[in-house]
Amino acid sequence: MTHFRSRPVRTPAATLAASLAACGALAGALPPATAPSHHITLRLEPAEGRLEGVDHMALPPGRRGPLALQLMQGLQVQSVSAAGRALPFTREGDALRLATPAGASSLEVRWSGRLAGQAPPRVAAEGTWLPGEAAWYPRLGEADRVRVDVLTPPGQQAALTGALREEDSTPAGTRTVFEAYAGEPPTLLAGPWQCEGRPHRGLRLRACFHAEVAPLSQAYLDDAARHLDRYAAQLGPYAYAGFDMLSGPDPVGLGYPGLTYVSRAILPLPFMRARSLPHEVLHGWWGNGVRVRAGSGNWAEALTTYQSDYALSGAEAQERMRREWLQDFAALAPAADTPLSAFVTKTHARDQVVGYGKGAFVFHMLERQLGQAAFDAGLKRFYAAHRLGDAGWRELQSAFESAGGQRLDGFFPQWLQRAGAPALALQGVDWREDGVTLRLAQTQQGAPYALRVPVEITTGDGARETHVLALEGARTRADIATRARPVALQVDAHADVFRRLAAGERAATLRDVLLLESARTVLVNAEGDAGAAALALAGQLVAQAGEPVAAGAWERTQPALAVGVGTPAAVAAALGLEPPALPAGEPATVVAWAVA
């Protein structure tokens, strides 16, 4: 994942204690005993980029005939045997095929290989990363039961998406034993970590960091424990045996069952503990604790964003975040706007606008419609019904309908199945001494949305009244009575409705350029090492920009991201533009401004 994926509800102390007491009840949930089982001994040699494995595989009772295992092509099979007798086998791509003798209940497979590249799957001194989908061990299926004894040399530690059962360190190295969680093949990670661990309410927490960030371990453990407690109280017991926080050399932030793997370069940054860590912890409930059903749309990133990044912010920051989501959507090219139900994963900033921003906004509107108590009850109901299983948007709707006592057939389809957003226009206001009569219209193309639109009226005595209008059709006329003479009126004053921004509601932002298919990269004063760094940065920000152009070759009618060396004023001068107005005394390294 995902991805940095950030929200709280207060619960009475008795409820909190009950939830946390159950926190370990499902920890380390394993596949059924009837599934094939593996007891793997895996030796890592990170300095050489090598691994060696032995898999003692117990076959399910009654299994007969040819057997097809998966083992990635970069690994070589040394031998396959049953009851001490060698078995012939063939390899074709990832497929390892063999015939099992009649009555065979187990196999032994020995394999090894060198995985020394930069990208995963790899075995490397700075960070080993063996994703489960890479078939780094010979597996029969995703339901296999897997136990792994990982042997690492001195100075190296290992982690796996599973329960940590044993750990022994000697001068010759470390042996760590894991039992993999159900639901997906295990991912294994290792590195030159300094590991700090602690028990917490039946869970095992670990921070395994590279030496330069190891002093942060205790703070991360404190925060992880706090967030686990919060979400267990809100949603139900955590589904895994522990939570590992791992540093790596890759520029990523990934969440797996029971662990998160994060670039060591960003672990010290303030946003990591404030927003990204709770986001990753919450994926233990949304995305891992309850998995996204294939083909149903990824609801987990939206809900995790809403309950972590958004909910952990104050009221002012939440309003600012909603406005940012609307700004991002306003900058999205029509061709890139897709229904929320079509979102699967983030591959570009354009995907985040819908999958994270719009999705989180939908949960905000749903909570306002149901009320906080019913919304919270719906989430608990959903988690209890589907934890350690798969679910989609339909199951979420059902849980909220049951908790809120109302049908949501009008709410979910319009926000999930349709691209775009409503556009609101105030078409007239008649003022009275005791209120107003207003006419509100939806002006977007297509069918009108069913909306609950807040209208804020300021009265002559300085009071502010909020009235919520139910807007079902293309336009509505409403009579609103006030307690005093109305003097001002504002529709959706605090950005509580996902909609298209009206003229004057938005200013130019850097995101406007990054989301445009037609955006180009313009290099300014960027030669040598500076030019290489500028190209690398531009490639990450504007992946679709193609070949960069020099400042002198840029056409002013073309949206562009200018990257290079110099102050904003120097960059503007090189482009032949007026420099942007900046606050006095405040340095700037990233500036967006509109050029007429």
Side-chain angles (χ1 to χ4, degrees), residues 348-367:
H348 186 272
R350 292 187 299 272
D351 305 316
Q352 185 163 333
V353 173
V354 173
Y356 290 63
K358 180 178 181 178
F361 213 126
V362 168
F363 284 110
H364 168 70
M365 292 187 292
L366 180 62
E367 183 171 11

Side-chain angles (χ1 to χ4, degrees), residues 233-271:
Q234 282 183 248
L235 302 169
Y238 182 62
Y240 301 106
F243 186 70
D244 285 359
M245 295 160 285
L246 315 173
S247 69
D250 307 270
V252 297
L254 303 177
Y256 291 104
L259 65 82
T260 183
Y261 178 66
V262 180
S263 166
R264 62 185 175 186
I266 63 175
L267 278 170
L269 301 180
F271 74 84

Side-chain angles (χ1 to χ4, degrees), residues 302-384:
L303 184 53
T304 303
T305 299
Y306 184 64
Q307 284 202 290
S308 56
D309 307 75
Y310 179 82
L312 293 180
S313 304
E316 290 186 7
Q318 288 178 349
E319 180 176 338
R320 184 166 58 250
M321 199 174 296
R322 295 194 301 272
R323 293 190 184 280
E324 289 172 353
W325 290 335
L326 295 180
Q327 292 265 11
D328 290 347
F329 184 75
L332 190 66
D337 182 14
T338 59
L340 183 54
S341 60
F343 169 70
V344 177
T345 189
K346 176 187 171 184
T347 59
H348 186 272
R350 292 187 299 272
D351 305 316
Q352 185 163 333
V353 173
V354 173
Y356 290 63
K358 180 178 181 178
F361 213 126
V362 168
F363 284 110
H364 168 70
M365 292 187 292
L366 180 62
E367 183 171 11
R368 285 176 61 84
Q369 178 168 326
L370 295 178
Q372 183 176 323
F375 183 83
D376 294 346
L379 290 177
K380 283 188 174 182
R381 184 182 295 260
F382 175 71
Y383 181 67

